[in-house]
Every structure is written in C-alpha cells, then in structure tokens.
Amino acid sequence: MRTRTRATILLFSLLCFFWAYSANAQNGQSVPDVEKVYLHTDRNQYAMGESIWYKAYQVYAYTNTLFDNSKLLYVELVSPDSKVVVRNVTKMNLGLGHGDIALVDSVGIESGRYQLRAYTNWSRNFEDNFIFKKEIEIIDIRDEKEQVEDQVLDRALVYDVQFFPEGGSLINGVASQVAFKSTYLNGKPCSIVGKVKNSEGGEIAEIESKHDGMGSFIFTPTLGGQYIAELTDSTGAKLEVKLPDVLEKGYLLSVVNHKGRNIITIKTNEETLISNPGKPVSISCTTRGVAYMEGSQPLDATSYTFVLPTESFPEGISQITLFDHEMRPQSERLIYVEKDHGIELSISSEKEEYSTRENVGLDFTAKTAAGAGIVGSFSLAVTDTNVPGGSTPDDMNICSYFLMQSDIKGKVHNPGYYFDRSNKDRLKDLDLLLMTQGWRDFLWKRLPVLNDNPSFEAEKEIKISGRLRKLLADSPIEGAKINMVLNNKGNSLIVDEVTDADGKFEFDDVMFLGHSTLMLTNQNKRARTTGHMILDSLYLPPYKVDYQFDKGLHTTGVFEAFKGKMLKKHIEYQVPLGIDDKLLDEVVVRGSKFVQNEVNDANTSIYGTPDFSYQVPEDGPRFTSIFQLLQFTVPGLTASGNSVSFSRGSPLILLDGSQIDMAVLESVFPTDVAKIESLKNSAGGAVFGAQAANGVVAIYTREGGAGKSKKVYHSINQEIQGYYDARVFYAPSYDEVPSTEDKPDIRNTLYWHPYIQFDANGLAKVSFFNTDASTTVSVVLEGITDTGIPLVVRSNYIVKK
C-alpha cells in the first residue's frame, strides 16, 4: 500500500488552515457569568485553639479578573465525618473578602483532616465544578490518643498505573506518544520502571517515571496487537497492565513545545484517508470554554504540522479538539499557554537575621517592566517554619489554582511545583500532568450550561423576607404593615414594609454583622395584629457534602510530626498544654444554642437585678391591652392612650431583649406576657446608654418560657446570623528590647494581613514583632492584579535568641 506523508510548518503569517479570534461565545452559545473563588490561608495545619485566617478572591472565570458579582460567600469547614461544623457568611466587596475560623471545642472541632470549602449561591447552578476545596489538618496536642491517620496500612502500598494515548486513542500504524500516571491508593505518586511488550513477548518500549509517577514513551501500534506493561515500583512490587486497544482508523493530535512554540501535528493512517476522500477536518482551540481559534481544511495526507498561534490566547490551559467532517470529536489535547507579564513582585527585609521579639520591617515592590506600579489586591502570611503546616513552594497557591487546578478535576499533588520558576522542568512536567490527569476529566469540555431561569440567584445582599397568611383560611393578607426591629451590637434598625397581594414582604439590603435579634410584628388595615407570619430562610442550607476522608489511606505521618513539634515548643517555653491566651487572644466563644423567646431569670438580666419583677399568672386577671397590664403591674408607671411613662418620661421598652417602640408594643397581647421587669435607677440602665435615662421596662413572652408554652403566630422573635464579623489578627507589640512581657510568645502565625496596599509607585511596607522562638520565618505574599494576573512571591528570614 502506498503511504502518503507531508510535514509542513505553517508560520502564523502564512496560516490559511485556521483563523484566530477572540470570542464571547462558542457555536452561538451565550457565555454565562461564572465565578471562581480562591482562599489564601495563613497555613495548612493548625492546633486546637488557633484560628484559620483567610482572604477570599472571587474572579470572572474566563479572564481571572476580580468579579463583583455575588456579595455573599459561604466559607465552610467540613469535618472528617462529612459534617459542616463551621459556616461563615463572608461579605464580598469588589470580589474581595476576608475572615477567620476559631478552632475551638464549642463548635465541635476535634483532631482530624478537614475540608475547607468556599462557594457562592450562584455557583450552585454549576454543581460542584466551581467550589473551592482545600484540605486542612487540625491536631489537639492535649489528646494522647494515637492518630489513626498515621498508621501505615498494607493496602496503602498497592499502586495503580493508567495509560493515556496522546490525543485519546492508539491508531494502527500511527506513531503515538503514550503518557502514564502511577499512584498508590492513597493518591500519592508512585515511581515505577518497566517494559512494554507485545503479545509475542517482544520488547516495544522502556518505561520510567520522570515526575510524581508520570512519564511517557513513543511506539507505533499495529492492528490486533496486544500490549502489556510489566512494571515494578520502588519497593519491588510488580504489576502488569494492559494498554488500550488499537483502532483500525482514526485521527490523533500530537503537540511538541519547541523554544516556546507549540507545534501541532494531525496524524492519521492511509485507511482513514481512503474512507474519507477529500473530507475536511476541523480544529477548535478553546480556553476555559471560550473559542479563540477555529478552522477547517480538507485532509489529503497522513500528517499535517503547523505552529499554533497562541498570541491571542489567555494564560492557562487550552483545549485543542479535532473534529471529522461530520463534526464528531476525534482527538483532544490539552496544552498550557504561559505568558511573560514582565511584572516584578518582590519582598525585602531590613536584614537577614533578627532577634526574638525584635521588630521586623518588610518592604514589598510590585511594578511593571517599565517601572510603573501595578494595581491589585494582595494578602500576607508570616509563619514559623519549625512547625509543619506552613505554606511551601509546592503547595496550592493563587497561581496554581486559578491557572490550573480550577480547570481540571481531581486532586493535584504538589500543584505549586508547576508554577515555581526555579523548577527548570516544570512546564515539561505540567504537560505530563495535562496528558494524564487532564486527559481523564477536563473541566471545560464545553461552556457551562445555564437556562433562562437559573435555579439559584447571585446574592447581592442579605434579604429578610416572609409571608403573612390568615390563620384559619391559609390565604394571604394583603396591605398589612410589617414592622422589623433588628438589634445588633446595641444598635437598632427599625423599618416598615407592606405585604403584597400574595401576603409577601421583603426587607432588602440588610447590613449587619454577627449575631442579631430579629423581631417582626404586623398590623392589618384595621391596625390590628393578626394572621400567621412565616419567615423565609435567610440562607439556603449548605451545598451537598462530597468530602469522604478515608483515614486508612493517608500515611503521611503529618499529624505525628506536627504534634511532636508543637509539644516540643510548649515544653521548651514552659507553656501548659491547653488553649492559652497567645493562641486565642481575640477569640470570642459564643453559645451554640439559642432559645427563642426565653423567659430570663431575674438574676441573669443583662443590667443586673431589676428594681421590680412580676411573673404574670396564666389564670390571673384579663386586660384589654398591654398598656393596661403594664400600668396595673409596674409601680410608678402610668398609661396614657397608647403609651406608658414614668414620672420623668417614657422608658426604654425591651421585648424579649429587643428594643421596640410604642407602636410595636401596642401589638403585644397581654395573654402572651410571662414576666415583666422594670428598672428606674440610672446605674443599672447605663448598659443601654442615654436612651435608658428614663428607665427600662423589659417584657418577656411565654414562648419557650418557664410557664406553659403558647404558640405565637402573629409575630417573630429570634436570633439570626448576618455577615461574619471578621476579627483583626492579634499581633503583640514589644516596644522594649528585651520586652518586660513575662508570658512566652509561641505563635505559629506571626503575622497575617489580608489587604496589603501598594502606593502609586508600587511600594508597600509592614512591620510586626517576632515571637520567642528561634526559627526560620516564612513570608508569603499572594494576590491578583486588576488585569487578572495571579502572583505569588516568597521569602525567609532567620530569628535567633
């Protein structure tokens, strides 16, 4: 059979096979708004009593530019038994936000390997494709039990090898590059050597892993041939794996990177050409689902070669797909397009060696090649490297996540390695990763699908909404006035809304931090309280949890190493094993349970012991209004119309702990009142400020109280959670050298700053104090420019006593 071959290098200036273009759609499909989120954390491992500090970056998925779309970001900590134990609603502004998670017993934190995840409500439309996930290890140094995760199990030493022909298939008579990936069952890379043999036992190729269990070899398969790989790992364990079957016909794509140029070759065999005489093939090159180059050409030779014009491509993973004349995909190849942005990002310290508790000044520079300052947002983590768990160059960072990890599925081992420019083979090794793990399940096979009515909205604000229904008829009540009182940190927000034809009401853009007390009451058109008020859920439940941590497969020993270092630190500096004030200086631990409308005992009143307390009996006298009840029971209080007052003026009125006005008080039924307290002296009322100058009257309703419970339908009183009230990182100041501070300082995170601000010249500076530990300190600055370029830079300095 006559074989026709032709190899032609088509330069971009002569390119007639394809044309390049920037696009907002693929095959006429509109591009939906897609968000990607990354969390920069101060460390990866923590001790109980410490805190996880995080900075959130939310970007437009197609360009990696900061995206001011969703305003609410859910940051969750998932336990080893797949339960969401902590959930922060982080306020996002211009695509940025920050927060922290206190690792304390009261929220159910124990030793183990946790998953930290972050997502928006809008992200739910695309399932779990755009949910940020990161593993966090937490150890309780007070716990003497052996960690199960540190046990070496035999089954963790079993390894698996998978083979991935370049482009997707082995084709009869076509020279093919075959990549492979070898891993132990715990997901760790496995180094292997071996040979590929045909069915007659003849040696076809030698195999040796080059990086993290990955490698490749080239051979020409024949139809009907059976190929077996005979492999051996570093322990001597042997394994045989069958290679994929060989196809009689087909096409494949091959890529070679030569001096920064991606040379693409379309390969096929004579049988395929005879079956498709003069039929064209087409190529589509996409990045993150958006096509940047397309074209077609009749194929009349078994090999075509051209240079891929990537000048217009964005940085990151590009997908090259080859289609036959019926537009059926035949072959696919992933490549990484790197760009030289010419940005200088650097860290410098005043000196290389410091003393313990000495003040450290760090200078940062962020400039273009022309010397102009860049605009962006950055976060800084400074940690003690003597304790495992700090960030290393091989760990996930903002570059590896936005440019690689978020675009391919599955966990990538040491992702930061591929973006550390000190690794000379990193791009070759990244190509191996894309030929193996990327080949198996590439995230951007096509643009995400979003119908005209998405299931989940992009949340721009916190909304408090609900419905008012007739109690017996279960029909809506239209035109009723809904009064909302929101008590937050001593401040009260009081606003009104009116129900619509469906009985619905909504309070938009409610801005409050942390725990707050919400009270909702209503008045119908006849100024009477009525109906059944139903409050909508403030937030949707957490997204489904898919974290399944197999303790038996993790054999890294990280728990034991981290625990040993922490114990040594506590013993050396004579710090008791427990949660000390250096670790939790700023943590406020709240109770995990809130009882609605609880009738407080007088001894637990926030203002101390009241001047007067009256328990209202259920079988006592009946009153026509709440004002009549108050005048009858509270000494010195008089009622006039729809108001009450002491001799010097109207008192501050509290209903189940929430401040209300006289209009709201009017809606309270006397039969719902369980207890009344009053306070007339100014000393006790000082906790409420000037607003309590005329005294305080506190009313407690029966719902959830000590007496017989009675369901209240017409009003709502409960505690709700607003945006997470992020704490400020605790950084002690030692102005004297040596300091007179007598408590040992053994913090593992020395300094954390979520917002490093560069001036117009691209300069920034911070200062902080060292701890008592002699160590090497790691400094990591991460961030992203306003043009969507993720950046990371690292530095170290030494601390000695």
Side-chain angles (χ1 to χ4, degrees), residues 380-398:
L380 174 68
V382 182
T383 59
D384 182 350
T385 63
N386 275 359
V387 176
S391 175
T392 71
D394 287 346
D395 289 335
M396 174 197 295
N397 58 52
I398 196 169

Side-chain angles (χ1 to χ4, degrees), residues 57 135 178 209 219 235 255 373 488 576 623 670 675 719 731 776 787:
Y57 296 85
E135 284 195 342
V178 180
S209 56
F219 84 118
T235 68
V255 179
N488 178 245
F623 299 92
K675 185 168 68 171
E719 186 175 279
T776 298
T787 57

